[in-house]
Amino acid sequence: MTLTDGRTATGQDAHSYSADPGFTSPTNLMPDAANPNSAILNNHGTPISGITDDILGTLRDGTNPDIGAYEFEGPIIEYTISGNVGEPGVTLSWTEGIAKTTISDGSGNYSIAVSIGWSGTVTPTLTGYTFSPASTSYSSVTANQVTNYTATPITFTISGNTGTGGVTLTWTDTGPLAKIQTNSSKDIEKKSVMDGEDTFQSVKNTEGIESTFISDVNGDYSITVSYDWSGTVTPTLAGYTFAPADIAYSNVLADAPNQDYTAIPITFTISGNVGIPSATLSWTDGSPKSTTSDGFGNYSITVSYNWSGTVTPSLFGFAFTPTSKTYTYVLSDFTNEDYTVAAATPTISGNAGVEGATISWTDGTAKTTVSDV
């Protein structure tokens, strides 16, 4: 059974080594400082309380004594653990006698040196990221090692409802998510969700990523931001204002659900005078609508943003000039939209069968007319 097999089977001997100790001779078990194999013994022992000297009376190292009966100045042999952690500025930590760290370079590369026979764990850390693997353990290192890690930005979700569908939410992210895009200011990433109603777009610029998301048909939305993100999310949709107008966030370190807005339709007013009380003004805005002029003939109607249609006044026995007014793409209030009114004078006509027949009737007073030729 090998030492590795024994460790696996028993869970013990974590600090034991299996190697040529580099003794001076088969009969002289003092490590030979000129023999590189003796480095496996140098500074790899465990301090034992009360034992301060070796077999020759030489003072033991109180923190990292040598393995065996002798304390000696053996050769220092080191091996390299290197690789790439996926991001610059990543701290890699390990312990060899004392806690040690190194930081990855601008390309994410790192390199650390450990003594021959070293056992321990190397752990990468960087605020705002997780790593795969989270750490790497080594046992009795006797050769150079290459270990790479994948850095994944930590992100959080901001979600809620915009009050109506098709609302564009806009925000800018300067955090780790900005690095996902290329350096081109024209790079655009789009993705559509399964229902075909939500749309996400992000554009890389010098300040970070300017992103937009369009809420689905129910007004639901969900956006992703970087770890510790601060910024403002602003909803927009032609024809609406929103309450609140936007929501500001500071140092986001958790998901933020129920971030809702109220969509308020923008409307405009068409008003004026029809010249007579109780006249009915009719129009269609999604559905047929009407209002009645007041005791002075004044009226006011409300129409949707960008409305197009016709307003028609009516009152039995009266005629209006103009008979109606047409509007196209209303984007402001209309005032002084007046009409003039006159009593209606309907005509009764036909043929009397003979020229010169007198037709008589009363309309307030007695009236007559004579049939023509």
Side-chain angles (χ1 to χ4, degrees), residues 353-357 370-373:
V354 64
E355 175 185 358
V370 177
S371 62
D372 63 18
V373 294

Side-chain angles (χ1 to χ4, degrees), residues 112-262:
I112 66 178
V114 296
S115 300
I116 184 173
W118 177 77
S119 295
T121 300
V122 177
T123 303
T125 56
L126 179 62
T127 300
Y129 289 84
T130 60
F131 292 88
S132 180
S135 61
T136 304
S137 294
Y138 302 88
S139 179
S140 303
V141 173
T142 57
N144 292 333
Q145 307 282 330
V146 176
T147 303
N148 297 320
Y149 299 84
T150 299
T152 303
I154 296 172
T155 60
F156 297 106
T157 298
I158 297 173
S159 60
N161 189 280
T162 55
T164 190
V167 176
T168 298
L169 297 107
T170 306
W171 72 101
T172 299
D173 197 330
T174 59
L177 283 179
K179 298 178 182 179
I180 296 176
Q181 308 296 319
T182 68
N183 291 325
S184 170
S185 62
K186 296 182 180 179
D187 268 354
I188 297 177
E189 176 189 347
K190 293 183 178 180
K191 67 177 181 180
S192 296
V193 297
M194 294 299 291
D195 62 10
E197 298 294 338
D198 296 345
T199 303
F200 172 81
Q201 173 175 301
S202 56
V203 180
K204 180 73 171 62
N205 58 37
T206 56
E207 289 78 30
I209 296 179
E210 183 180 274
S211 301
T212 62
F213 186 96
I214 300 177
S215 63
D216 69 15
V217 291
N218 299 314
D220 295 324
Y221 75 93
S222 179
I223 67 176
T224 302
V225 297
S226 295
Y227 177 95
D228 202 33
W229 177 75
S230 295
T232 301
V233 178
T234 304
T236 55
L237 178 63
Y240 289 85
T241 60
F242 292 87
D246 54 46
I247 300 178
Y249 300 87
S250 180
N251 307 114
V252 173
L253 295 175
D255 291 339
N258 304 316
Q259 302 297 293
D260 298 337
Y261 301 84
T262 300

Side-chain angles (χ1 to χ4, degrees), residues 13-30:
D13 294 311
H15 300 287
S16 297
Y17 296 99
S18 176
D20 179 356
F23 291 147
T24 300
S25 70
T27 57
N28 183 354
L29 301 184
M30 181 176 182

